[in-house]
Amino acid sequence: MFKRTTFEEERAGKKIKGRVLTTLEFDKIASRLEEKAHTVFGRELCLSLCPISDYDEVKQTLSETDETFRYINKYGYLPLGGFSDLRSSLKYAHAGGTMSMRQLLDCASFLRSAAHLKGILPDASSDLDGSVLYERIRSLITIDALEKEISSCINSDDEMNDRASKTLYDIRRSKRELSGSVRSILDKVMSSNEDILQEKVITIRNDRYCLPVIADFKGRINGIVHDTSSTGQTVFIEPMAVVDINNKLRELSVAEQAEIDRILGDLTDRVLGSSDSLMEDMSIVGQIDFCHAKALLAVDMDATLPSLNSEGIVDLVKARHPLISKDTVVPVDIRVGEKFNTLVITGPNTGGKTVSLKTCGLLTLMAMAGLMIPADTGSSTAVFDRVLADIGDEQSIEQSLSTFSAHMSNIVFILKNIKGKALVILDELGSGTDPDEGAALAIAILENLRSRGCITMATTHYKELKAYAVSTEGVMNGAFEFDNETLMPTYRLVIGRPGSSNAFVISKKLGLPDNIISDAKSRLSEDEIQLGRLIELSERDARKAQSLMDSNNALKKRLEEQIAALEEEKKALKASKTRILNESRREQKELLEQRSSELDDLMKKLRKEKNMNSAEDQLRELEKVRRRLRAGIEDLTDDSQDEELSGILPGEIPDKVEEGKEYFITTLGITGTALSAPAKNGNVKMKAGVITTVVKTDQLRIVTNENKPAPAKPKQKTRTISQDNRKVRELRFNMASSTSSELMLIGMRGDEAESRLLRYIEECSLGGIKDIRIVHGKGTGVLRGIVTDILARDPRVESYRAGLQGEGDDGVTIARLV
């Protein structure tokens, strides 16, 4: 739960102040933050922003920033306009003053804005429910009655509404009536004295109605002179006929002002009665605006929320200095505080050493101030008790300080102010004096800081510090790379090895003569030359290793993407397979239900036969078929079965379907003989007793004792051919009567059209329909291609052709069945 505070209260925790904020340019970040605030309350908090060394409070403030950041990304900016600063007005009212119309309108605007802000809370639950942001908004105190009263009473800065009170309304109505009377009387006076008037207009002088009379004729009108023009040629006279009315108007004006003052006093008292709520709301709005500004700054910086620790670990991934343009800044990875507490950074000038120090220090201060940091996700930073820095050349002529003295003064200050867990940043440590003495001092300073548990980052050119980092536990070398081929820095920080200053390479690039460079190299000792070569070889090998690593990472990423794509394709294929099998299952169920219905109708007709003995055998045979069909329908309806067809159709699928062999037809539940080998589309022409049909090969099973029909009883032999023929005729008659000679495929998907066409051909074949018309439309030609492919391979099709003019042209196909 958040804590309400006034603007004068300090945030809990210990603030980090002093010149380190200027050294690391944190003050510029605060200025940029202030520009993002919408209210004066928020701007005050932004400008007073300081890093805090209290871990729990830093975590809380970062969480508040992240909540607002997530809100903005999901819902947009918060409505923070219209929040006027009421503090001076309330202070004036508390001192006994009456608030002006402008001040009261500002109060109404504030209350209206508070209600609007509170209105953004969602009615339903939200992922931000319980957040500090929502709790702050929810705690705003809205006083709708006061806002409406002020708005209804006051029209503008200097105009009170007539309806503010009944008394004010009556006074103004009387004034309007008297003003009308005055004008009526003056109009008559002007009509009778047009020759002595400068202009035929009614003017007001000293709040009294007058006429502009030519000065030479002022005696012609009996009245009171109230004013004279600048030239003296016109006098403004109030005729005696309107003096009494003007007096009454003046009295009403005084009464009007008194009533306005009374109304303003009443409204001021109402505002004073809610002053505590208004002050509390201003504090809450300031905190909301403050967090909103921090979130907007994070959006501008492409910032992320770092993880926090209190162990002094800094791990920044692709960190960017926020004050350098996004187009030119080079991200850098910085790691210190976990396996080693001191990082000694070497490398060429202009290679990025100082910027990396400032980036680390500034991002640490930003996180400790509750700001998100411009670095990639996964970055971590610590909450330090002290952040101390010595960066740049602070030579001062006024203080008679050399570069070395300025650095030493800063370092003395740092050593005196170390407390608890401290982050110390030192640029060009030991520079500005004798190299041997400077290196010795630098090592001693680093050793002192290390012994006191500081997290230290230092840049240097001294080879002695490189050796110190190699030989001392807890100290690590870091190097900014330099590409000797392009003679340009890469701005990449490599942890674990020293770098070279590349003085000779850079000097040559800048135009220093070769003979001077050769002479300089000859003055180096063999050890120094050998060390330089080793560092150069190390840098070259490291670049090759990094190149291979980058290549491997790229290949790994591509492989992972391909694996993910294959997994997605696999899922899609599985889903497609399941859909097709389920569709096939549904079609089989429909076909079985249709066959069952046909058999029911046929059995009803057979029972009506006069010669029941002759129909008895057929009824028993049909009853067996119907039971099998019903069993198949129940299997297809059973939800406990697997979605795939292999779990629906029992029995072993034959490896190869051969002409003349018997197979069990799962869709009919009977055994039939293959009349042909399978076609390319998997269709097989089967004969089962007197029925000839076409089925898919996956609908056939090897005949077993379980699916083989029981031996026919002797009395079945008495069945005559005429009875079989009659049964076939009945079946064909029913099929022919229920099947149309035209099939409409327009609007169907490809697989849907294929399934429907195969079933249609089977129905027509059983019904004895020879000539059929298939309507597939012209369109893209996909359906026409499917129809042509099926008709070309189906053995039941004798011939087919495209429609002629008047038959539908290319939009239909005419076929004849065998």
Side-chain angles (χ1 to χ4, degrees), residues 712-740:
K713 295 182 179 181
K715 63 171 63 179
Q716 289 177 331
K717 294 180 180 179
T718 61
R719 186 169 59 191
T720 62
I721 296 176
S722 61
Q723 291 171 339
D724 289 337
N725 290 337
R726 184 171 58 193
K727 174 183 173 183
V728 172
R729 285 197 301 273
E730 289 281 355
L731 184 59
R732 285 183 173 176
F733 174 79
N734 292 332
M735 293 298 297
S737 62
S738 61
T739 304
S740 171

Side-chain angles (χ1 to χ4, degrees), residues 619-637:
L619 284 171
R620 275 196 295 270
E621 189 70 25
L622 292 173
E623 183 64 33
K624 292 179 182 178
V625 175
R626 187 176 68 169
R627 282 198 297 271
R628 291 173 181 172
L629 288 173
R630 289 296 180 193
I633 293 173
E634 291 176 0
D635 288 341
L636 289 168
T637 309

Side-chain angles (χ1 to χ4, degrees), residues 596-768:
S596 177
S597 177
E598 293 169 358
L599 286 174
D600 287 343
D601 294 340
L602 183 57
M603 290 175 69
K604 288 178 182 178
K605 291 181 180 181
L606 288 173
R607 288 192 180 98
K608 292 179 182 179
E609 292 286 341
K610 294 181 180 180
N611 187 0
M612 294 299 297
N613 291 331
S614 61
E616 185 178 354
D617 294 341
Q618 296 182 24
L619 284 171
R620 275 196 295 270
E621 189 70 25
L622 292 173
E623 183 64 33
K624 292 179 182 178
V625 175
R626 187 176 68 169
R627 282 198 297 271
R628 291 173 181 172
L629 288 173
R630 289 296 180 193
I633 293 173
E634 291 176 0
D635 288 341
L636 289 168
T637 309
D638 186 4
D639 293 335
S640 63
Q641 297 185 45
D642 189 77
E643 288 184 338
E644 295 193 4
L645 203 58
S646 59
I648 298 171
L649 304 177
E652 184 180 352
I653 301 175
D655 294 332
K656 182 180 180 181
V657 177
E658 300 180 6
E659 183 179 353
K661 284 193 174 183
E662 285 191 343
Y663 300 95
F664 181 71
I665 305 173
T666 58
T667 54
L668 298 178
I670 58 178
T671 301
T673 303
L675 299 180
S676 65
K680 291 182 179 180
N681 60 359
N683 290 339
V684 180
K685 193 172 184 179
M686 301 291 296
K687 182 174 180 61
V690 295
I691 298 175
T692 301
T693 185
V694 175
V695 298
K696 292 284 188 181
T697 55
D698 58 6
Q699 296 172 349
L700 298 180
R701 297 293 184 270
I702 296 174
V703 177
T704 62
N705 291 332
E706 294 180 359
N707 57 30
K708 186 175 183 181
K713 295 182 179 181
K715 63 171 63 179
Q716 289 177 331
K717 294 180 180 179
T718 61
R719 186 169 59 191
T720 62
I721 296 176
S722 61
Q723 291 171 339
D724 289 337
N725 290 337
R726 184 171 58 193
K727 174 183 173 183
V728 172
R729 285 197 301 273
E730 289 281 355
L731 184 59
R732 285 183 173 176
F733 174 79
N734 292 332
M735 293 298 297
S737 62
S738 61
T739 304
S740 171
S741 61
E742 180 178 281
L743 175 64
M744 175 64 68
L745 298 179
I746 295 176
M748 295 185 183
R749 301 187 308 272
D751 54 349
E752 184 182 4
E754 181 178 356
S755 175
R756 182 68 187 91
L757 179 56
L758 289 171
R759 191 165 72 247
Y760 176 69
I761 293 174
E762 181 178 358
E763 292 170 355
C764 291
S765 179
L766 290 174

